[in-house]
Amino acid sequence: MNRAQEREALIWGLVGVVLFAATLPMTRLAVGPVDAQQLSPWFVTFGRAAVAGLLSVAYLLWQRSRGHLNVPCRAEWPLLGITAFGVIVGFPLFLALALRHVPSTHGAVVTALLPLSTAVLGALWYRQRPSAGFWACAVLGSGLVLGFMAWRAGGFYLGAANIYLIIAMTTGAFGYIGGARLTPSLGAEQVICWVLACSLPLTLPVAWWFAPAAPGAISAMAWMGFAYVALFSMWIGFFAWYRALALGAVRVSQIQLVQPFLSLLFAVPLLGERLDLVTAGFALAVIATVFVGKKMPVHQRAAA
């Protein structure tokens, strides 16, 4: 990857991270806490995918009318399935289930672990050999974020919520890399659109089943959170993110280290959380590891 491609990858990655950063507080708004429940986590998960899936069908038909439609070949359908499992079902469902029981600051531990998981999978799938310095920065950055979240939440929560977060992190990493593998042949926009459109036979019925019986009883803020995760978290954000990962999955994944702190910034006006000096200090430390890490060499494995 030359310098121009690296710069392009980092720009697209930053756009994706900024859009994804509001996912946690917006999901928290959509589902509500246990003592003030709003939308069902199952409806938020499958409903947002259904809305984005209908938009994707329209987008694919538009591309077809322009003669720019890329149809997946037979060998690509398994990757589409992996991507759908990760980014449509696994990550959003278990994140929504967790955020009903824990605050968004604790849920941000998922986005802290995603860069390292994505980097590991990216290195394996793309046959890359990150340097020891790269891994040191990735581990240090993840450790800083995890340490901050533990301090912020007063210790890690035990029980089902943490299990949900671990599953969300793992499945999300698979979905990111699966989509990145498909992007060179299908294009960043069409990858997520094909995944969402092909998932409609599942997402539409499940969303209908878990739809609120009295939509008017749901707060306007909850519906706003749902609209955001449907349009930006589930659809537009992936246009930028998959394009970035396809250009450089291992290096771009480090940008996501700053996502938890961007989530906190969004959570201040949305959820009333306070941004203190300790939070700012941790944010600067993590950003420093990202800056140093992207300077470390990443090599392509020699062909066997």
Side-chain angles (χ1 to χ4, degrees), residues 52-140:
L54 294 174
L55 293 172
S56 297
V57 170
Y59 180 84
L60 292 174
L61 290 175
W62 177 59
Q63 290 295 320
R64 181 182 178 183
S65 69
R66 300 172 63 225
H68 295 161
L69 182 65
N70 299 319
V71 179
C73 65
R74 179 180 300 180
E76 291 172 330
W77 286 104
L79 276 177
L80 284 170
I82 292 174
T83 305
F85 175 73
V87 303
I88 292 180
V89 180
F91 182 81
L93 175 60
F94 289 101
L95 182 65
L97 289 170
L99 289 179
R100 174 154 283 181
H101 300 280
V102 296
S104 63
T105 51
H106 183 78
V109 73
V110 176
T111 55
L113 293 175
L114 266 174
L116 192 57
S117 300
T118 305
V120 171
L121 290 176
L124 293 174
W125 282 30
Y126 286 99
R127 299 180 60 82
Q128 292 177 329
R129 293 185 298 106
S131 64
F134 175 91
W135 287 119
C137 289
V139 172
L140 175 60

